[in-house]
C-alpha cells in the first residue's frame, strides 16, 4: 500500500479545489505567482478563532504589500462563513476580505495534515475531529517553507506570521539569517555558508562577534 508522503519544509504544496467564502478556489490558480499563508481554524463562531481572524483581517494590507495572499480554512459551510465574517467585523473591527475555505468534509485538512489528533474536545456536533491551528507558508514556486502548529486552545500571533514572511523573503534575497526576535530594519546574521572574503564583498560593514556570529545591516526597503 502506498504511504502518504509526510509534509515537510521543502515539500511541494498540494493543489486542491474547494468551496470558500469567495466562491470555488483552485489553489494553484489562486496562488499564481504569490506567496500564500494557508491557515486553519477549528470552527466558525468560536471565540479564539474569531479573535484570530479579526487580527489577520486587520494585517492583510501588510501581507498584500509583501506579495502574500491569505487563505483561511474552517470546517463549516460557506453560508456559515458568511455569517461569521459579519460577527468578526462586529466584534474585532476586522473585515475579512480573504477567502475562508469551507472544509466540511476535511478534504483540505486531511491533505495538509491539519486534523486534531490530541484534543478530544476539539470535535464538531457529529463528534468528528476538527483542525488544529496550522499555518503553512508557501512560496511562489509552491514550496512549503515554514509550518507552524498550535493547539485549538492557543490563539496564534498574527504579527509573528508576518515576521516569518519578512524573514523568509529577506533570506531569499540576501545570504543572511535572522536572529531571535528579529524585526525588519534590525541587524541580520551573515549566513554561515558565506566565508569572510565573500562577506567583505557582500556586506562591507559586517561585524564579527565570534567567527560563527557576524552581523550586518541590510539596505532599507523603500
Ligand atoms: C476557539 O476558537 O475558541 C476554539 C475552537 C475550537 C476548540 C477550542 C477553542
Amino acid at each position: 500500500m502506498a504511504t502518504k508522503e509526510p509534509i515537510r519544509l521543502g515539500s511541494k504544496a498540494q493543489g486542491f479545489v474547494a468551496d470558500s467564502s469567495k466562491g470555488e478556489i483552485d489553489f494553484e490558480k489562486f496562488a499564481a505567482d504569490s506567496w500564500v499563508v494557508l491557515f486553519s481554524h477549528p470552527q466558525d463562531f468560536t471565540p479564539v478563532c474569531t479573535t484570530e481572524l479579526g487580527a489577520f483581517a486587520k494585517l492583510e494590507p501588510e501581507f498584500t504589500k509583501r506579495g502574500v495572499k491569505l487563505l483561511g480554512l474552517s470546517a463549516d459551510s460557506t453560508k456559515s462563513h458568511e455569517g461569521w465574517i459579519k460577527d468578526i467585523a462586529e466584534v474585532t473591527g476586522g473585515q475579512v476580505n480573504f477567502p475562508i475555505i469551507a472544509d466540511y468534509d476535511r478534504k483540505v485538512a486531511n491533505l495538509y495534515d491539519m486534523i486534531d489528533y490530541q484534543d478530544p474536545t476539539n470535535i464538531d456536533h457529529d463528534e468528528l475531529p476538527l483542525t488544529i491551528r496550522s499555518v503553512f507558508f508557501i512560496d511562489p514556486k509552491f514550496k512549503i517553507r515554514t509550518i507552524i502548529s498550535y493547539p485549538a486552545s492557543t490563539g496564534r500571533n498574527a504579527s509573528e506570521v508576518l515576521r516569518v514572511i519578512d524573514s523568509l523573503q529577506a533570506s531569499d534575497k540576501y545570504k543572511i539569517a535572522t536572529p531571535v526576535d528579529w524585526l525588519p530594519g534590525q541587524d541580520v546574521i551573515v549566513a554561515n555558508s558565506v566565508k569572510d572574503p565573500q562577506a567583505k564583498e557582500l556586506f562591507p560593514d559586517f561585524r564579527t562577534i565570534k567567527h560563527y556570529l557576524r552581523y550586518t545591516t541590510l539596505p532599507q526597503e523603500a
Side-chain angles (χ1 to χ4, degrees), residues 3 18 32 34 49 78 112 130 151 159 178 204 206 209 212 214 218:
T3 51
S34 299
C49 299
T78 51
Y112 278 82
L130 293 164
S159 303
T178 59
F206 81 89
I209 310 300
Y212 56 82
R214 298 163 298 168
L218 292 182

Side-chain angles (χ1 to χ4, degrees), residues 134-150:
S134 297
V135 191
F136 289 88
F137 298 72
I138 299 164
D139 76 12
K141 292 185 174 150
F142 292 106
K143 195 185 272 191
I144 296 176
R145 299 289 301 279
T146 304
I147 302 171
I148 305 180
S149 302
Y150 278 50

